[in-house]
């Protein structure tokens, strides 16, 4: 379920088309934008990704990536990706045959994305971080990966998957119960075809090896899973046997004619699965950034709604919105490229409402400091919130918001990346409140704001937690200012967009507790923006969320050392701990963690893994 107004729908459509910003990464492939409310949370544990392995927020589109490849990659890599482009002969070393299965099967999409982003100067390959947005880079990676995946192999893989894997993972790969969701972008972006085959062969965590499958079948299943991570599966030809099973009249159908109109339908249900009648439903069809069509109806006695003869184009986006209890609820975002047949099904789940915020938790809290403005320190706070209940949290009244955020004493110059006081936000005695409803689900709500505090060589900042906080990360620019805090653990340095930051983390903070920070030292260096880099990105309506990728994988499961081994995340699994150790090793080898912090963290993870396995191992 997604809950957001028509304006926010437009923002999501914008993200689908413009996932990036010249000179400043939106990093929408790391974290959703503010107020994006995703589907209700999956029950399976979140995958763990290393800092260097980002993943796309929305499925990559190979079709969009093809045009980029032909323009920017073909001259060296060749039409089929075999390293035989017209400029390849001018290079000291021929480009690798990325279009061959032998090479592509070993490739992790996140690694190829990093190469496309930063380049390989040792191989005379330029980076495209300036000329291509994050979304475009993921699209071209998807196209290159699809070069070696044939539609026939995907079809065979789907057949094997449905017969051998669907019992646990479901026919759509989303997992049953606590079983891993195989469509997750963070999982697929960090696994090569060979990695997926290896899991099938040897098992991993609670998953046993798959018996009775040939190597070829496992590779085909891996190709099918890779295709699931794209915007749409590659076009699969209907086999002769399938054609023969169709009625004779099929040859006389008009299915070969271009599709010009579709039927959009769905069912409105509540969280219990009960159908709801008489609920207003509006269909929005977007083409580019414009609303191409808007139609309204109400759900019938069986909870269903239906829109006939809706114009269809592959580049259009379809979203249905229901209004229930004064709150709007949205269907999934459906791309025209996903249409099969002539129907689009957009079910909508609605929820009851409450003004009790006790089920609201902070999934992640990110705090950033900037000293670009003389005599001041600018602080930005980004909250990623989850509603763990089954009701939408709404304000009790326009001046009594359900979500309240305190500000430290002396804070001035409050500004938001979206909205302002008097509209989305209301001023409170010691902070502000957010009037936007928060839907049930994990990471369904974001609040990003900044403020200023006086700073002359030394100051203390006390940050009060408005809700329980699972994980917090603080980033301090390396500018001569030192940070001390009893609640924060130093985690080394992080370089982002030519800026070096000191990173500090904390976990399992209770509502009402504080993070007490002492800042000291004279700021040095040249500010990136005379008004402060935080002011720039807040005022522009975007934020350098690329910073958030720093260490997130272990923050979700992090506990303070003094809490002891028994304080283990209830969602922690053997698989997530193994992945966390691997990701931790990658960070250390990349020079992103100091050795002392690395060794301590690795020992903690190993002990928790041993506890789950029930054995003591070195």
């Amino acid at each position: 379920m997604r809950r957001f107004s028509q304006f926010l729908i437009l923002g999501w459509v914008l993200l689908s088309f413009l996932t990036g910003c010249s000179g400043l990464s939106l990093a929408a492939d790391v974290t959703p934008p503010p107020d994006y409310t995703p589907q209700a949370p999956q029950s399976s544990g979140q995958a763990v990704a290393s800092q260097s392995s980002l993943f796309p927020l929305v499925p990559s589109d190979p079709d969009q990536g093809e045009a980029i490849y032909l323009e920017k990659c073909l001259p060296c890599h060749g039409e089929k990706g075999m390293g035989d482009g017209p400029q390849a002969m001018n290079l000291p070393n021929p480009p690798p045959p990325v279009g061959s299965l032998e090479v592509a099967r070993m490739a992790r999409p996140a690694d190829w994305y990093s190469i496309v982003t930063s380049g390989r100067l040792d191989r005379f390959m330029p980076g495209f971080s300036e000329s291509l947005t994050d979304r475009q880079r993921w699209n071209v990676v998807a196209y290159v990966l699809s070069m070696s995946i044939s539609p026939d192999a995907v079809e065979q893989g789907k057949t094997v998957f449905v017969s051998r894997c669907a019992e646990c993972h479901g026919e759509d790969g989303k997992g049953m119960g606590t079983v891993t969701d195989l469509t997750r972008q963070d999982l697929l972006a960090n696994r090569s075809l060979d990695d997926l085959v290896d899991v099938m062969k040897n098992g991993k965590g609670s998953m046993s090896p798959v018996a009775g499958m040939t190597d070829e079948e496992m590779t085909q299943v891996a190709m099918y899973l890779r295709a699931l991570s794209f915007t749409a599966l590659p076009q699969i030809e209907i086999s002769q046997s399938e054609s023969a099973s169709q009625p004779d009249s099929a040859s006389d159908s008009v299915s070969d004619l271009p599709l010009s109109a579709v039927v959009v339908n769905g069912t409105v249900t509540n969280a219990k699965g009960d159908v709801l009648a008489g609920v207003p439903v509006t269909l929005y069809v977007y083409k580019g950034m414009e609303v191409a069509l808007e139609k309204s109806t109400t759900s019938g006695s069986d909870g269903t709604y239906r829109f006939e003869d809706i114009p269809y184009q592959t580049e259009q986006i379809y979203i249905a919105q229901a209004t229930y209890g004064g709150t709007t609820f949205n269907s999934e975002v459906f791309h025209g490229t996903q249409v099969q047949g002539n129907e689009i099904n957009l079910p909508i789940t609605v929820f009851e409402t409450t003004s009790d915020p006790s089920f609201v938790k902070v999934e992640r809290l990110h705090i950033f400091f900037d000293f670009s403005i003389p005599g001041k320190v600018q602080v930005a706070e980004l909250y990623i919130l989850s509603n763990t209940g089954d009701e939408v949290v709404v304000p009790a009244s326009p001046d009594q918001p359900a979500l309240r955020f305190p500000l430290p004493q002396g804070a001035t110059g409050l500004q938001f990346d979206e909205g302002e006081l008097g509209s989305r936000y209301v001023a409170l005695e010691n902070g502000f409140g957010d009037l936007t409803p928060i839907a049930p689900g994990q990471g369904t709500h974001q609040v990003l704001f900044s403020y200023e505090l006086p700073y002359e060589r030394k100051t203390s900042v006390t940050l009060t937690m408005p809700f329980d906080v699972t994980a917090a990360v603080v980033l301090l620019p390396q500018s001569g200012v030192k940070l001390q805090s009893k609640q924060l653990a130093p985690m080394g340095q992080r370089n982002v967009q030519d800026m070096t930051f000191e990173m500090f983390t904390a976990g399992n903070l209770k509502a009402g507790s504080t993070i007490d920070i002492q800042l000291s030292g004279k700021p040095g260096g040249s500010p990136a923006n005379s008004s402060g880099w935080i002011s720039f990105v807040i005022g522009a309506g975007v934020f350098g969320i690329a910073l958030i990728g720093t260490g997130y994988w272990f923050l979700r499961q992090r506990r303070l050392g003094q809490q002891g081994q028994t304080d283990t995340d209830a969602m922690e699994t053997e698989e997530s701990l193994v992945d966390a150790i691997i990701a931790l090793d990658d960070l250390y080898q990349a020079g992103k963690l100091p050795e002392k912090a690395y060794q301590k963290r690795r020992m903690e993870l190993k002990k928790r893994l041993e506890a789950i396995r029930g054995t003591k191992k070195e």
Side-chain angles (χ1 to χ4, degrees):
M1 186 282 297
R2 294 191 179 98
R3 189 252 3 112
F4 46 106
S5 65
Q6 183 177 354
F7 175 78
L8 296 177
I9 297 175
L10 183 60
W12 174 235
V13 175
L14 172 63
L15 177 67
S16 299
F17 286 93
L18 301 175
T19 313
C21 180
S22 178
L24 177 69
S25 172
L26 289 174
D29 300 311
V30 182
T31 301
D35 295 302
Y36 161 61
T37 34
Q39 189 74 11
Q42 301 294 329
S43 56
S44 58
Q46 293 293 319
V48 201
S50 70
Q51 291 175 346
S52 60
S53 300
L54 307 181
F55 55 90
L57 170 65
V58 296
S60 304
D61 189 343
D63 291 340
Q64 296 289 331
E66 180 179 10
I68 299 171
Y69 179 88
L70 295 177
E71 177 188 352
K72 297 183 179 293
C73 311
L74 183 149
C76 291
H77 289 281
E79 182 179 359
K80 302 297 183 182
M82 304 308 292
D84 55 356
Q87 296 182 12
M89 64 181 64
N90 299 324
L91 300 175
N93 297 302
V98 294
S100 68
L101 181 58
E102 290 73 19
V103 172
R105 68 180 300 146
M106 298 183 291
R108 295 181 175 91
D111 293 340
W112 277 13
Y113 169 81
S114 296
I115 293 174
V116 172
T117 299
S118 304
R120 284 285 304 272
L121 296 182
D122 58 321
R123 300 298 296 267
F124 292 87
M125 176 176 171
F128 295 91
S129 60
E130 297 296 328
S131 58
L132 296 177
T133 66
D134 294 340
R135 175 76 170 144
Q136 289 171 325
R137 279 173 268 151
W138 277 115
N139 287 344
V140 76
V141 168
Y143 175 70
V144 175
L145 288 169
S146 69
M147 284 180 168
S148 56
I149 301 179
S150 71
D152 288 342
V154 172
E155 176 68 6
Q156 292 297 323
K158 180 180 180 181
T159 300
V160 176
F161 180 87
V162 170
S163 64
R164 300 299 306 277
C165 312
E167 182 177 355
C168 294
H169 290 284
E171 292 189 4
D172 57 1
K174 291 186 178 296
M176 310 285 284
T178 59
V179 177
T180 300
D181 179 357
L182 297 178
T183 67
R184 284 181 4 225
Q185 291 294 323
D186 57 343
L187 177 70
L188 271 297
N190 288 285
R191 301 292 188 276
S192 67
L193 295 181
D194 281 352
D195 289 336
L196 297 173
V197 169
D198 182 70
V199 173
M200 286 181 264
K201 277 187 176 182
N202 303 311
K204 186 174 183 179
S206 60
M207 176 178 169
S208 302
V210 180
M213 286 175 59
T214 66
D215 288 352
E216 181 181 10
E217 287 175 329
M218 290 183 181
T219 299
Q220 290 170 341
V221 169
M223 289 179 175
Y224 172 64
L225 295 177
R226 173 71 68 223
L228 284 180
S229 69
F230 297 154
T231 297
L233 293 174
Q235 188 64 38
I236 299 174
E237 299 284 345
I238 299 178
S239 65
Q240 291 183 355
S241 60
E242 289 175 318
S243 299
S245 65
Q246 300 297 322
D248 292 340
S249 59
S251 60
D252 298 326
S253 71
V254 295
S255 60
D256 293 334
L257 297 177
L259 185 63
S260 61
V262 292
V263 173
V264 179
N265 54 36
T267 304
V268 181
T269 58
N270 61 20
K272 298 179 181 179
D274 301 326
V275 298
L276 299 176
V279 177
V281 177
T282 302
L283 172 68
Y284 295 100
V285 180
Y286 284 85
K287 185 175 182 180
M289 293 302 300
E290 302 294 330
V291 177
L293 179 68
E294 176 181 339
K295 281 194 171 186
S296 297
T297 186
T298 56
S299 59
S301 59
D302 58 354
T304 63
Y305 69 88
R306 186 179 181 88
F307 295 97
E308 299 274 1
D309 199 28
I310 301 301
Y312 166 77
Q313 295 181 21
T314 56
E315 62 268 28
Q316 291 182 161
I317 292 177
Y318 302 80
I319 306 169
Q321 182 182 87
T323 302
Y324 180 76
T327 304
T328 56
F329 301 87
N330 280 68
S331 69
E332 294 284 349
V333 176
F334 194 97
H335 294 259
T337 53
Q338 297 173 295
V339 171
Q340 296 182 1
N342 65 342
E343 289 194 5
I344 297 176
N345 184 253
L346 299 176
I348 307 173
T349 302
V350 303
F351 293 83
E352 302 296 335
T353 60
T354 179
S355 57
D356 179 9
S358 59
F359 287 101
V360 175
K361 312 294 181 184
V362 179
E363 196 74 19
R364 290 169 279 160
L365 167 60
H366 302 276
I367 303 165
F368 309 90
F369 291 99
D370 173 42
F371 298 89
S372 300
I373 304 175
K376 296 181 179 180
V377 55
Q378 194 171 22
V379 186
E381 298 184 31
L382 172 64
Y383 286 82
I384 313 251
L385 300 117
S386 296
N387 180 351
T388 61
D390 57 5
E391 297 176 306
V392 178
V393 177
V394 299
S397 64
D399 59 345
Q400 294 294 322
L403 303 184
R404 297 167 176 261
F405 297 86
L407 293 174
Q409 187 174 1
T412 59
L414 179 64
Q415 55 180 327
F416 304 92
D417 78 311
E418 181 180 310
E420 57 186 12
L421 291 176
S423 57
R424 169 177 168 176
Y425 302 101
V426 295
L428 302 176
E429 183 177 356
N430 297 313
F432 67 91
D434 186 1
L435 295 172
T436 306
I438 174 171
Q442 185 174 0
T444 57
H445 193 74
Q446 296 189 15
V447 177
L448 171 60
F449 59 94
S450 73
Y451 51 86
E452 298 170 357
L453 295 169
Y455 183 79
E456 294 291 346
R457 292 183 177 271
K458 185 177 182 180
T459 193
S460 297
V461 182
T462 297
L463 303 175
T464 303
M465 303 299 101
F467 311 100
D468 290 348
V469 177
T470 301
V473 58
V474 176
L475 289 175
L476 178 75
Q478 199 175 44
S479 59
V481 177
K482 294 183 179 180
L483 182 151
Q484 290 183 322
S485 174
K486 293 182 179 179
Q487 295 85 23
L488 297 172
M491 297 303 294
Q493 296 181 354
R494 167 68 167 159
N495 187 275
V496 179
Q497 296 179 349
D498 298 325
M499 298 181 66
T500 301
F501 294 87
E502 297 286 342
M503 185 177 73
F504 304 83
T505 65
N508 299 321
L509 303 171
K510 297 300 181 181
S513 65
T514 62
I515 298 178
D516 301 306
I517 298 173
Q518 291 77 45
L519 300 171
S520 61
K522 182 179 179 180
S526 301
N529 183 280
S530 60
S531 298
W533 67 276
I534 289 180
S535 293
F536 171 75
V537 295
I538 290 280
V542 298
F543 199 79
I545 308 300
L547 302 172
I548 295 172
T550 308
Y552 167 51
W553 54 268
F554 63 84
L555 284 175
R556 284 185 53 82
Q557 301 170 39
R558 185 185 185 280
R559 57 188 170 88
L560 299 177
Q562 63 268 28
Q563 288 181 300
Q565 182 176 336
T566 58
D567 183 20
T568 303
D569 191 332
M571 294 296 292
E572 198 164 69
T573 65
E574 182 177 347
E575 179 182 3
S576 69
L577 285 171
V578 171
D579 284 347
I581 291 173
I582 294 173
L584 189 72
D585 292 342
D586 289 342
L587 284 175
Y588 177 67
Q589 293 171 7
K592 303 297 184 182
L593 287 178
E595 183 173 2
K596 185 177 180 180
Y598 162 70
Q599 295 292 353
K600 178 181 179 181
R601 178 60 183 165
R602 200 176 197 280
M603 185 176 298
E604 290 177 354
L605 290 172
K606 287 186 65 178
K607 287 181 179 180
R608 284 151 62 180
L609 178 62
E610 290 165 358
I612 289 180
R613 288 178 171 173
T615 59
K616 296 295 183 181
K617 300 178 181 180
E618 283 298 320

